[in-house]
Amino acid sequence: MAREQTSVLNALDVAKTQWYHFTAIVIAGMGFFTDAYDLFSITNVTNLLGRIYYTHPGSDKPGILPPNVSMAVNGVALCGTLAGQVFFGWLGDKLGRKKVYGITLALMVISSLASGLSFRNTPKGVISTLCFFRFWLGFGIGGDYPLSATIMSEYANKKTRGAFIAAVFAMQGFGILVGGIVSLPKQADYVWRIILMFGAVPAAMTFYSRAKMPETARYTALVARNAKQAALDMSKVLQVELQADEPTKSFERASNNSFGLFSKKDIYTAVGWLPAAAEMNAINEVYRVARAQVLIALCGTVPGYWFTVAFIDILGRFFIQLMGFFFMTVFMLALAIPYDHWTKKENRVGFLVMYALTFFFANFGPNATTFIVPAEIFPARLRSTCYGLSAAAGKAGAIVGAFGFLYAAQSKDPKKAKEAGYPPGIGMKNTLIMLAVINFVGMLFTFLVPEAKGKSLEEMSRENEEEEGDDPATTASRTVNPV
């Protein structure tokens, strides 16, 4: 028998799509816009850092970041993100979504600005301070994952909840796109600092709006145990009168994810999209890489996000994730097996299409669903914590993939690998095959994913069911005479 639910939760589940839904999407989504911008723009920045601080005097070749430095610059924010997902996920269940949400946003603004103001002009000084601030930027970004997803899932109705959560995540695509656009100007002083500091702008713009958002009704009613305040908050949001139902005793007792896996510059150069680094100056290299990044975002990344928004509540989470993994496996193999074919100049357009489709089905697939599902399947009192742990597991995979690909994709030829400062790897072709196998394994694990389409959050977490063995008479007795 289903447990009694408060009227405010029922009202949220059946509410028609209203202006406050879109407001919540924009406010929560701006965090993800900032997240994607900050994490993806570092690709362009590392190219400039190598040229500015690691070019040897008298050398006819542009400098590049040494492997250990490149790993630090690219990986420190990911490590901070992983830590932030776990910490702020836990804190969100302890202090509430709204309060912790503001903390993460402030941390992102301050760290973005500080990253562009990295001290001194020596390689060691700049890289050390940049890594320090990038870690704390990642820490704040990590908190945005569980909190944005949890807030949106707890505000949404059950009919369109998947689309609303996916829309928040889809803002990531615009962040990637803007990250490339900001890097396009061919003339500018201190380009890398400008790129990094711009990340503070969208986060700062939403700070006031986030502060004005009320706490989610599900946290207030189910975790903070204040049904009256939940009804009051949602009455203002829904613009209807709501009366708080006191939950039964048994109800009270029950109420106690990337980013890409490899550097775009490496794959672009490998197939001849970009000329060798020695044939471009520093700003021109950033421009060319950013242009390629914008093209991929427009052709594959952004459309994939919004296809998920359109179809998630029609096709369901399970189908979209299974389909995404399947086509990612197919296109990875299609890139890998005839790899030499794609490196020829006349076949580059075909490579672009295949590469964009891989990104399309990543985002119209597991990249989106692994953001949505954890926000729907855990109980309210643990939702933010468990989401943080789930997201951290995904980020750990991204870290292993990013660093692993960096080394694995190096040429088998020791001479070619040595020129870049990296040890020989297994080559791009074998690395793509390895990624295809990983995608196939992900497809198999999809069969363990529960389907949340059309169900309330309480149905998914079983918070609205009586404990096994309870009957109405026993429940009534507990309500009148609680032990």
Side-chain angles (χ1 to χ4, degrees):
M1 176 180 175
R3 290 188 176 96
E4 181 184 359
Q5 295 189 27
T6 60
S7 62
V8 64
L9 302 187
N10 286 323
L12 285 170
D13 279 337
V14 301
K16 294 181 179 179
T17 300
Q18 300 179 34
W19 180 249
Y20 87 89
H21 286 119
F22 297 105
T23 301
I25 289 172
V26 172
I27 295 173
M30 267 301 165
F32 264 84
F33 177 98
T34 306
D35 298 348
Y37 177 90
D38 288 329
L39 291 179
F40 277 82
S41 62
I42 197 65
T43 300
N44 298 324
V45 169
T46 54
N47 298 333
L48 281 175
L49 291 175
R51 287 177 175 267
I52 296 170
Y53 298 108
Y54 289 90
T55 297
H56 298 292
S59 174
D60 59 348
K61 294 182 179 179
I64 63 169
L65 295 182
N68 60 327
V69 175
S70 179
M71 287 180 63
V73 172
N74 285 283
V76 69
L78 295 176
C79 294
T81 301
L82 189 154
Q85 287 168 334
V86 176
F87 176 75
F88 285 116
W90 167 79
L91 202 63
D93 283 332
K94 295 297 180 183
L95 302 182
R97 292 41 161 149
K98 176 184 175 180
K99 185 181 295 185
V100 180
Y101 208 25
I103 295 172
T104 63
L105 186 64
L107 187 57
M108 288 161 61
V109 172
I110 294 170
S111 299
S112 291
L113 293 174
S115 295
L117 297 173
S118 297
F119 312 140
R120 309 180 66 176
N121 56 5
T122 64
K124 185 176 181 180
V126 170
I127 297 299
S128 297
T129 53
L130 176 60
C131 287
F132 175 81
F133 293 126
R134 290 280 298 174
F135 174 85
W136 291 109
L137 173 62
F139 195 66
I141 288 173
D144 210 45
Y145 276 73
L147 294 169
S148 290
T150 299
I151 286 174
M152 196 65 247
S153 71
E154 294 182 342
Y155 265 116
N157 61 54
K158 63 183 181 181
K159 183 179 180 181
T160 57
R161 186 179 60 242
F164 290 155
I165 302 174
V168 170
F169 191 58
M171 295 296 287
Q172 192 179 80
F174 292 124
I176 297 170
L177 186 61
V178 172
I181 293 173
V182 171
S183 304
L184 284 178
K186 293 186 177 182
Q187 66 286 334
D189 293 328
Y190 309 111
V191 171
W192 72 270
R193 298 180 186 273
I194 294 171
I195 292 172
L196 294 181
M197 293 175 71
F198 184 82
V201 175
M205 289 171 61
T206 59
F207 190 86
Y208 176 77
S209 298
R210 286 195 184 192
K212 296 293 289 183
M213 286 181 71
E215 182 57 88
T216 70
R218 286 185 161 93
Y219 180 87
T220 304
L222 300 177
V223 182
R225 309 292 181 82
N226 191 339
K228 291 183 178 180
Q229 185 62 48
L232 180 63
D233 289 340
M234 291 304 103
S235 292
K236 297 177 181 177
V237 167
L238 296 173
Q239 297 182 343
V240 295
E241 285 294 326
L242 294 175
Q243 297 297 321
D245 296 333
E246 293 299 326
T248 65
K249 186 67 178 180
S250 59
F251 184 76
E252 289 184 6
R253 185 170 61 250
S255 297
N256 280 342
N257 165 149
S258 82
F259 295 101
L261 290 177
F262 46 87
S263 165
K264 295 177 177 61
K265 180 178 181 296
D266 292 338
I267 194 80
Y268 295 159
T269 303
V271 297
W273 279 4
L274 300 179
E279 300 176 20
M280 302 178 284
N281 62 38
I283 301 301
N284 190 247
E285 181 180 21
V286 173
Y287 169 78
R288 286 174 177 265
V289 173
R291 185 177 61 182
Q293 183 173 313
V294 168
L295 188 59
I296 287 294
L298 286 173
C299 294
T301 306
V302 173
Y305 284 121
W306 290 98
F307 264 70
T308 301
V309 173
F311 293 106
I312 187 72
D313 290 310
I314 299 173
L315 300 177
R317 289 72 166 149
F318 172 82
F319 180 85
I320 288 178
Q321 181 164 313
L322 189 71
M323 174 191 66
F325 270 130
F326 172 79
F327 282 110
M328 288 171 67
T329 303
V330 169
F331 288 120
M332 280 290 181
L333 290 175
L335 290 175
I337 294 174
Y339 182 72
D340 292 337
H341 169 81
W342 299 121
T343 60
K344 297 176 182 178
K345 185 175 182 179
E346 62 270 20
N347 299 324
R348 291 175 190 170
V349 174
F351 182 90
L352 170 63
V353 173
M354 302 289 283
Y355 193 59
L357 284 171
T358 304
F359 275 85
F360 175 83
F361 282 106
N363 295 305
F364 185 32
N367 198 29
T369 56
T370 53
F371 177 80
I372 296 167
V373 172
E376 299 180 310
I377 62 177
F378 300 114
R381 69 187 187 280
L382 299 173
R383 184 168 292 130
S384 183
T385 301
C386 291
Y387 190 103
L389 292 172
S390 298
K395 193 58 61 180
I399 293 171
V400 172
F403 293 158
F405 188 92
L406 192 63
Y407 281 90
Q410 298 301 317
S411 173
K412 297 178 182 179
D413 186 344
K415 294 181 180 180
K416 293 182 180 179
K418 185 177 180 181
E419 289 178 358
Y422 291 89
I426 62 175
M428 187 68 73
K429 178 176 180 176
N430 291 331
T431 304
L432 291 172
I433 291 174
M434 181 175 64
L435 291 176
V437 171
I438 293 172
N439 287 329
F440 179 76
V441 173
M443 184 173 66
L444 297 180
F445 273 94
T446 299
F447 287 97
L448 302 176
V449 175
E451 180 55 72
K453 183 180 71 171
K455 298 179 181 179
S456 72
L457 296 179
E458 289 67 45
E459 284 180 273
M460 289 302 300
S461 62
R462 299 185 179 180
E463 289 176 286
N464 63 345
E465 295 180 3
E466 297 294 344
E467 291 182 356
E468 188 176 353
D470 282 356
D471 58 39
T474 304
T475 301
S477 176
R478 286 177 180 161
T479 306
V480 177
N481 301 303
V483 178

